[in-house]
Amino acid sequence: MPDSAKLDALIVGAGFSGLYMLHKLRQEGFSAQVVEAGSGVGGTWFWNRYPGARCDIPSLEYSYSFDPQLEQEWEWTERYAAQGEILSYLDHVADRYDLRRDIAFDTRVTAAHWDEATSRWQVETDTGGSFDVQFLILATGALSEPKMPDLPGLEKFEGKVLHTAKWDDSVDLKGKTVCHFGTGSSGIQAVAAMSEYVGHLTVFQRTPSYAVPANNRPLEDGEQEAAKATYREKRDVARHSPLGFAAPPMPGSAKTFAPAALKERLEQAWNAGTTGLLNAFEDLLFDETSNELAAKFARGKIADAVRDPDDARKLTPDYPLGSRRLCSEIGFYDALNRDNVELVDVREEKVVDITAHAVITDKASYAADAIVLATGFDACVGAVLAIDIRGRGGQQIGEEWANGPRAFLGLTVSGFPNMFAITGPGSPSVLSNVVVSIEQHVEWVARCLCDMRASGKRVIEADADAEQEWMRHVDEVAQTTLFPRADSWYKGRTRDGRDVFMPYVGGVGAYRAKCDEIAAAGYEGFALS
Ligand code: FAD
């Protein structure tokens, strides 16, 4: 595909978001292309090839719903699909809808400047390409810009350094001595998988996670067919639910349950995985007492699972359950019981240096042939800020967001006309089944472009007041929940040192209704010309 063109829309990124956006715009008769930094489609599932990588929402739900035929014909093999299977699915989607012919691979968008004279975006790539487009659609991913930790001396290390989000399949860690940093979702999965074949694994933990057994298993005969028989109904429930799951939260508060009934409800929720536990009580993420009852139960499970009481203590979180991303585990706590695995809490034992072959703390030295970094992402904003985006008057997005990202509906930014961010900051994005949120954004953007074409409008831009009011609302809703209680990547940090809670916690269903209401009211809160 040529990496220069004059188009209606340029889409940046070929993950779940970019693939569906391209398909949708083509269907609606727009000229559109995708630019993707990687050499294949898949986004998250292309890059995150670390051992143990898999989704933590059941595959039958963590998949597209836009085409009933696609959802009927694709066969998932396990309850939670591994990275390779999700990548095969997205490869299948790209082939099925003949998307590749409009995707420039191995090409990174480096700059996008709004041209006042033509009311179009001028976009540049690292391959020397340029695009002249009416609409710029950032499908760059909320978790796609890897975060490197600030580890003193890392540059001196002579072994292999691997980030989970940029995994190099060709590196063989079998029998090696590995130092691993990070115990969030990816870290937990990688530790469990690597513990089975590395020689020795030292796990450096900063913040412990609550991790729920995935109880992953092959889908049984007839199970998938039965689920597919009611797929439409289930998808509809997910679209209008708080978190984008096919099962709504269970009614009631933990506070009102007698001890035996409470235990029974929590055991049931625990065995249903992360989605089950988050749905255990309708007030779980809002009420401190109710949350603490569930958190205490989860802490008890960690104490039962981990043999060494000191390790169990280090692995026990003290923040509300679900206020940081709830993790799904397959053998993580078992891994920490193994003789070849040891745990270091960096809050008690500070990393002071890294030498050619070891990680040095203020208490000991840990040998390493390789270092694995499961240190996450510059979440929600990193991939957008990595592009030199300039809106009206040459204003740079990084400067505009220096005191916290702002985006009306998490979709559009005042001063940056005709630019849309799929799952941008201020939308449910990472606080939901992300595919459900992606489909909603893609469909809203496509509708918006169709409405503009029908009414002869060429430019859409968020009002600064509407945007400010939306971000105030995002913060206000977050403050009614327990999310701000934890130090998490859901929060961004402003230049003046304030925390900003980035995703919208008001619920996938409520958010959808708000977006639809705004569109139906002639794009209230936007200026159209
Ligand atoms: P991505 O998949 O991140 O794709 C963005 C693409 O944009 C990337 O391919 C990137 O290379 C490209 N790109 C970025 N900047 C540029 C540029 N300047 N130029 C060109 N290309 C660019 N969500 C869930 O709901 N459930 C889960 O179980 C779940 N598990 C996850 C597990 C892991 C390990 C990770 C990292 C995330 C997980 N997520 C999960 C979140 C996941 O990111 C989303 O579900 C979804 O895959 C995001 O799709 P996307 O297309 O929006 O972004």
Side-chain angles (χ1 to χ4, degrees):
M1 197 212 81
D3 69 354
S4 300
K6 188 165 182 177
L7 302 163
D8 293 327
L10 185 77
I11 301 158
V12 190
F16 269 103
S17 300
L19 293 177
Y20 182 33
M21 193 76 247
L22 175 61
H23 174 60
K24 191 77 190 159
L25 289 184
R26 265 195 199 164
Q27 270 187 328
E28 299 295 352
F30 292 99
S31 60
Q33 288 185 4
V34 174
V35 171
E36 167 55 55
S39 56
V41 301
T44 289
W45 305 103
F46 173 85
W47 294 108
N48 288 265
R49 294 162 186 255
Y50 60 86
R54 65 175 71 238
C55 61
D56 55 16
I57 292 180
S59 323
L60 280 155
E61 297 186 44
Y62 184 70
S63 47
Y64 289 122
S65 72
F66 67 81
D67 183 343
Q69 257 177 321
L70 170 69
E71 69 185 6
Q72 289 296 329
E73 77 196 12
W74 182 263
E75 295 284 322
W76 295 104
T77 64
E78 290 178 277
R79 186 157 178 241
Y80 299 99
Q83 171 266 334
E85 188 167 356
I86 306 174
L87 185 59
S88 301
Y89 169 73
L90 290 170
D91 271 322
H92 168 74
V93 167
D95 292 336
R96 193 187 192 286
Y97 302 100
D98 189 20
L99 300 177
R100 288 179 214 277
R101 67 183 157 86
D102 283 327
I103 306 177
F105 291 108
D106 296 308
T107 308
R108 184 172 285 279
V109 167
T110 50
H113 295 178
W114 176 252
D115 181 348
E116 298 280 359
T118 59
S119 292
R120 293 173 70 87
W121 285 96
Q122 303 300 321
V123 182
E124 289 170 19
T125 70
D126 64 353
T127 53
S130 59
F131 292 87
D132 173 351
V133 297
Q134 189 181 353
F135 297 102
L136 174 66
I137 302 175
L138 302 170
T140 44
L143 300 176
S144 68
E145 190 68 17
K147 194 162 76 186
M148 296 301 281
D150 189 12
L151 287 172
L154 186 58
E155 69 289 350
K156 289 183 286 181
F157 186 67
E158 288 182 6
K160 200 80 187 163
V161 179
L162 293 157
H163 194 292
T164 47
K166 288 267 165 73
W167 198 260
D168 177 354
D169 294 331
S170 67
V171 177
D172 184 5
L173 295 178
K174 194 156 170 262
K176 298 277 193 276
T177 300
V178 177
C179 283
H180 169 104
F181 288 82
T183 51
S185 293
S186 298
I188 277 176
Q189 293 179 334
V191 163
M194 288 189 301
S195 70
E196 295 192 1
Y197 58 81
V198 299
H200 188 86
L201 183 62
T202 310
V203 180
F204 293 85
Q205 172 190 268
R206 189 184 57 189
T207 311
S209 293
Y210 290 101
V212 188
N215 292 329
N216 189 40
R217 53 175 174 74
L219 289 171
E220 285 158 15
D221 282 352
E223 185 180 358
Q224 185 150 203
E225 292 65 29
K228 285 180 174 177
T230 54
Y231 230 154
R232 296 286 85 199
E233 293 89 318
K234 290 198 185 86
R235 300 289 205 181
D236 203 49
V237 173
R239 282 189 200 107
H240 298 95
S241 69
L243 297 170
F245 302 156
M250 307 262 272
S253 165
K255 289 189 296 192
T256 63
F257 280 60
L262 180 68
K263 187 164 183 316
E264 193 187 339
R265 166 74 72 91
L266 282 167
E267 288 288 356
Q268 190 191 346
W270 184 260
N271 290 328
T274 53
T275 51
L277 193 59
L278 286 171
N279 270 344
F281 301 99
E282 62 193 5
D283 64 352
L284 183 86
L285 298 169
F286 301 91
D287 186 277
E288 200 167 351
T289 311
S290 180
N291 187 288
E292 179 52 25
L293 288 164
K296 202 171 153 199
F297 172 87
R299 292 186 204 117
K301 291 284 188 189
I302 296 171
D304 291 346
V306 180
R307 250 194 327 261
D308 179 88
D310 197 45
D311 279 353
R313 177 187 63 78
K314 290 176 185 163
L315 288 161
T316 302
D318 59 1
Y319 50 84
L321 181 78
S323 59
R324 284 168 65 89
R325 190 170 175 91
L326 190 59
C327 299
S328 180
E329 64 102 13
I330 302 176
F332 172 65
Y333 295 118
D334 291 344
L336 289 157
N337 288 334
R338 295 174 72 117
D339 292 340
N340 66 333
V341 180
E342 70 185 305
L343 179 67
V344 175
D345 184 336
V346 299
R347 293 179 302 185
E348 299 174 358
E349 192 176 336
K350 199 165 172 256
V351 175
V352 291
D353 196 17
I354 293 180
T355 62
H357 303 290
V359 174
I360 317 292
T361 70
D362 53 8
K363 292 194 177 137
S365 169
Y366 300 89
D369 300 321
I371 290 180
V372 171
L373 303 173
T375 45
F377 300 88
D378 186 356
C380 301
V381 295
V384 174
L385 296 178
I387 306 172
D388 176 22
I389 300 176
R390 291 169 194 257
R392 285 199 196 281
Q395 54 185 331
Q396 221 256 347
I397 193 118
E399 281 304 311
E400 288 299 309
W401 283 5
N403 274 327
R406 49 176 188 79
F408 183 37
L409 301 174
L411 257 172
T412 60
V413 184
S414 150
F416 296 79
N418 289 5
M419 182 181 91
F420 299 92
I422 308 298
T423 67
S427 74
S429 64
V430 288
L431 276 184
S432 63
N433 174 348
V434 182
V435 182
V436 173
S437 291
I438 286 170
E439 288 195 318
Q440 184 260 333
H441 264 186
V442 166
E443 286 158 17
W444 193 92
V445 171
R447 172 184 177 180
C448 174
L449 267 54
C450 289
D451 288 347
M452 285 176 70
R453 183 173 57 190
S455 59
K457 303 292 185 194
R458 295 195 43 77
V459 178
I460 184 164
E461 182 179 353
D463 291 340
D465 289 347
E467 181 179 79
Q468 199 179 356
E469 176 52 25
W470 179 255
M471 294 318 282
R472 193 198 57 72
H473 175 59
V474 169
D475 183 59
E476 180 186 45
V477 178
Q479 298 310 325
T480 67
T481 71
L482 300 171
F483 284 104
R485 300 285 182 88
D487 186 16
S488 73
W489 54 258
Y490 298 143
K491 290 177 183 172
R493 183 63 53 84
T494 64
R495 193 177 276 167
D496 53 15
R498 269 179 312 112
D499 283 342
V500 178
F501 196 82
M502 295 186 285
Y504 180 57
V505 199
V508 165
Y511 174 79
R512 173 186 298 273
K514 183 72 187 165
C515 291
D516 289 349
E517 188 187 305
I518 284 172
Y523 296 91
E524 207 174 11
F526 289 94
L528 283 149
S529 57

